[in-house]
Amino acid sequence: MKRTHVLVCLASLVWLSFIASPQSKELSNRDHQLVRVYGADVESTLLYKQMLMMDIDIIYSESGVLKALVTKEQKSWLTENGLQVEQLDLTELFDPSVFGVAGAGLYHTYNEVELELHQIELTHGSIAKVFDIGNSIEGREIWAIKISDNPSIEENGEAAVLYMGAHHAREWISVEVPMNLAHYLVNSYGHDPRITNLVDEREVWIVPMVNPDGVEYSQQVYQMWRKNKRDNNRNGHFDPSVDGVDNNRNYGYMWGYDNEGSSPYTWSEMYRGAYAFSEPENQAIRNLVLHRDFVFAVSYHSYGQLMLYPWGYIDADTPDHKLYTDIAAEMARFNGYTFGNAKDDVIYNTNGDADDWLYGERGTLAYTFELGTMFVPPESQIEQIWLNNREPALYLLEIADDPCQIYPAINIYADKSDYSPGDSMEVGLNLTNPQDEVEVGVYVWVDRPNQSKYWILQEPQITIPAGVEYSNPIWRTFSLPLLPAGNYSWHAVVVDPATEYILSESLYHWKLSEP
Ligand code: 0X9
Ligand code: CA
Ligand code: ZN
């Protein structure tokens, strides 16, 4: 999955004048063709950059083959530059049978989202409440549903998780997973003890359609539309060749960092908007997010079968990279998706996207899921895509009270907290490992006031079998070394052997009295 746009050259301005011709109002899928592009150098930096400069909508790139949405003019340009261009059918990306159909078939229209969320609230009022979190450019309410016990109250003890769909208009499947999640949670409540517990103990926020105007436009007029409906040139009518802001480039963390991860040009598919948070859809999410502490967020997109995470704006890992990656690996057990960030080359760079802002501004562990293998898969695939992604969504809810619980946990404790010289001490150390067999470092020491650590155990590399719980103390009795009176503590940590990243830490304070 790969799609990028940077528009900087004059050549593109030339052919833009055609798209902007009077007929462009009627721009429809017929004007773009899906092609596969081959050629020895197709991924060479120069050619690739030139394609971006031509505003060629590259939607996929892997080992010397590109898939792109192109106009006739762009297609000839590719051929003229010595590339082989194979015509593909647009139905590889969009199931045509639901396009232009009233109700969009099994896909949700904006009205259906609105209606269903309110029905859920009506039938499950004790655990579901609908919120209007703001209005789109065209004035549609952006709906959120909160699912939790006591949904009218913010229960601070309950970890909050956010699920969002349809930042991008044409990615219809991205609405279906969050809608299914909402239905699944309320319908399982009171029947499935696991879900009952999750709903009671967490605050689940679902915004199934962040960009309702765009989705409506994609469902009725222009199926491959991506952006929102901003009238960029303020001429009073919407023109898809120059209007619209990419809602996934308008967030305020490192917004507009460079012109590759987003575009300053209004006509680009990745136009970032006039300023950070210029778009009401992004303002609505900002307002929701700034008033809560989301532990996790998932922004659903399509397509590519990927799970992505920050940073997007540069090729670098976040300080939480290990945690991000290990949680993604757990989720991949359920959906089989590839995971990583821009540095891993799993995805191109993006600036102003939801993940970077959620993480950079709020510390939320934010993932982007690229669902399925098409923007609008055949209706028959909706159920399976939901089922593949149900467990990953629930897994995040499950660990949201403490994401580090995925790691082996260490706990150290003693029989008393007050000792006299010559006493012996009963010390317990227990280790639990909820996951697969893992290699860790285990260190235990005593912290002494104004002195160096008093080492008890230094094991840089031990293997803990899967699911193990060492509940019996590793030492039962320990004779106090000769120490001056004062305050001490046991300190135990489990670390990742490669990075020394602390996976779990435990402290036990105790005191040694004067003789
Ligand atoms: O480009 C995007 O906004 C997303 N892909 S899509 O094809 N659905 O448009 C990817 C966003 C990636 N985010 C990060 N790299 N953080
Ligand atoms: Ca306009
Ligand atoms: Zn998208």
Side-chain angles (χ1 to χ4, degrees):
M1 207 248 32
K2 193 117 184 158
R3 59 167 329 295
T4 331
H5 275 263
V6 181
L7 222 178
V8 278
C9 77
L10 246 165
S12 47
L13 288 174
V14 175
W15 60 259
L16 249 168
S17 54
F18 295 68
I19 312 181
S21 66
Q23 298 99 298
S24 64
K25 240 175 38 188
E26 302 305 316
L27 196 71
S28 79
N29 292 342
R30 271 170 288 127
D31 298 334
H32 279 82
Q33 319 169 29
L34 179 65
V35 291
R36 186 179 282 136
V37 188
Y38 306 85
D41 295 331
V42 72
E43 282 185 315
S44 83
T45 327
L46 186 65
L47 246 177
Y48 201 86
K49 275 220 160 101
Q50 284 177 320
M51 284 188 253
L52 296 180
M53 291 194 296
M54 290 290 290
D55 202 27
I56 289 174
D57 192 348
I58 299 166
I59 52 175
Y60 186 85
S61 155
E62 206 181 290
S63 43
V65 185
L66 304 183
K67 273 191 197 176
L69 285 166
V70 292
T71 60
K72 260 203 233 127
E73 294 72 31
Q74 291 169 325
K75 195 176 163 190
S76 339
W77 182 88
L78 290 168
T79 325
E80 282 159 24
N81 281 272
L83 294 165
Q84 269 173 271
V85 180
E86 182 194 330
Q87 180 83 37
L88 301 174
D89 203 300
L90 264 182
T91 56
E92 280 199 20
L93 303 183
F94 304 96
D95 176 15
S97 72
V98 287
F99 173 65
V101 171
L106 291 183
Y107 285 96
H108 283 82
T109 62
Y110 171 72
N111 286 335
E112 289 166 351
V113 167
E114 180 177 57
L115 191 77
E116 274 179 34
L117 294 184
H118 284 94
Q119 273 166 351
I120 290 175
E121 183 186 54
L122 235 111
T123 51
H124 298 87
S126 63
I127 53 161
K129 188 169 162 60
V130 174
F131 293 82
D132 167 3
I133 62 166
N135 287 73
S136 66
I137 294 249
E138 293 181 336
R140 292 183 177 84
E141 286 94 355
I142 299 168
W143 295 113
I145 190 164
K146 178 185 172 187
I147 300 175
S148 185
D149 62 342
N150 312 309
S152 318
I153 307 167
E154 303 269 320
E155 296 187 291
N156 291 328
E158 298 180 356
V161 179
L162 173 64
Y163 301 89
M164 297 175 285
H167 275 78
H168 290 143
R170 64 190 175 191
E171 300 168 8
W172 303 6
I173 186 66
S174 72
V175 180
E176 301 310 308
V177 170
M179 283 303 290
N180 268 289
L181 178 63
H183 284 294
Y184 183 78
L185 292 175
V186 298
N187 292 336
S188 309
Y189 188 80
H191 304 290
D192 177 342
R194 175 191 179 207
I195 303 301
T196 308
N197 189 56
L198 286 178
V199 170
D200 286 341
E201 302 300 325
R202 305 281 180 269
E203 305 224 302
V204 187
W205 282 85
I206 301 176
V207 185
M209 209 181 268
V210 172
N211 171 16
D213 303 347
V215 172
E216 195 86 345
Y217 191 59
S218 168
Q219 291 181 342
Q220 288 171 14
V221 182
Y222 182 10
Q223 196 173 15
M224 64 175 86
W225 186 247
R226 168 180 167 95
K227 299 185 281 182
N228 74 355
K229 294 291 296 292
R230 168 70 70 186
D231 181 10
N232 291 331
N233 59 9
R234 283 163 296 174
N235 68 349
H237 77 88
F238 185 77
D239 177 346
S241 64
V242 293
D243 286 336
V245 170
D246 183 343
N247 287 122
N248 212 29
R249 297 294 182 278
N250 192 241
Y251 288 97
Y253 188 82
M254 296 292 162
W255 176 87
Y257 178 78
D258 62 27
N259 291 350
E260 308 222 343
S262 69
S263 173
Y265 301 108
T266 58
W267 52 79
S268 166
E269 294 277 24
M270 299 205 312
Y271 177 49
R272 61 172 83 116
Y275 49 91
F277 287 112
S278 57
E279 302 312 292
E281 299 85 7
N282 298 85
Q283 293 164 14
I285 298 297
R286 174 177 62 181
N287 189 41
L288 175 70
V289 165
L290 290 183
H291 288 94
R292 278 152 202 101
D293 280 314
F294 288 110
V295 176
F296 288 113
V298 179
S299 182
Y300 294 105
H301 286 252
S302 58
Y303 66 98
Q305 308 195 122
L306 303 170
M307 294 182 286
L308 308 170
Y309 38 89
W311 295 119
Y313 80 104
I314 42 168
D315 286 336
D317 294 336
T318 64
D320 286 303
H321 189 68
K322 182 174 168 56
L323 189 56
Y324 259 121
T325 306
D326 292 340
I327 291 172
E330 287 305 311
M331 295 194 288
R333 293 153 67 124
F334 303 114
N335 62 12
Y337 284 14
T338 303
F339 50 88
N341 61 10
K343 186 188 168 204
D344 302 327
D345 266 338
V346 177
I347 187 73
Y348 45 83
N349 290 105
T350 57
N351 54 62
D353 92 330
D355 291 356
D356 277 12
W357 180 73
L358 276 153
Y359 178 73
E361 179 73 29
R362 303 291 290 155
T364 301
L365 294 166
Y367 288 91
T368 290
F369 278 47
E370 296 282 359
L371 299 166
T373 57
M374 296 169 73
F375 291 127
V376 181
E379 292 166 286
S380 60
Q381 287 183 27
I382 297 175
E383 179 71 5
Q384 194 55 52
I385 292 173
W386 151 242
L387 290 176
N388 292 344
N389 287 285
R390 187 179 80 189
E391 289 307 311
L394 296 176
Y395 178 73
L396 293 182
L397 266 190
E398 223 145 42
I399 64 170
D401 58 329
D402 172 17
C404 287
Q405 70 192 264
I406 68 167
Y407 295 123
I410 200 159
N411 184 29
I412 193 159
Y413 52 93
D415 54 343
K416 301 188 290 186
S417 54
D418 215 325
Y419 297 88
S420 306
D423 278 357
S424 66
M425 196 174 189
E426 297 257 303
V427 179
L429 179 73
N430 80 35
L431 258 170
T432 50
N433 177 23
Q435 309 286 310
D436 290 348
E437 175 177 295
V438 66
E439 287 265 293
V440 292
V442 177
Y443 298 88
V444 178
W445 67 90
V446 178
D447 287 321
R448 307 181 286 182
N450 309 316
Q451 282 183 77
S452 59
K453 294 178 169 78
Y454 183 86
W455 286 99
I456 306 295
L457 181 72
Q458 298 186 61
E459 286 283 1
Q461 201 127 349
I462 62 164
T463 304
I464 317 182
V468 147
E469 180 147 358
Y470 294 111
S471 47
N472 289 330
I474 286 182
W475 307 287
R476 289 206 167 275
T477 319
F478 183 83
S479 304
L480 287 180
L482 282 171
L483 294 165
N487 294 315
Y488 294 86
S489 53
W490 285 98
H491 207 138
V493 296
V494 176
V495 302
D496 172 39
T499 59
E500 305 261 286
Y501 182 102
I502 294 176
L503 306 176
S504 173
E505 181 170 26
S506 176
L507 265 177
Y508 184 90
H509 299 284
W510 53 278
K511 194 172 120 189
L512 186 63
S513 321
E514 299 287 348

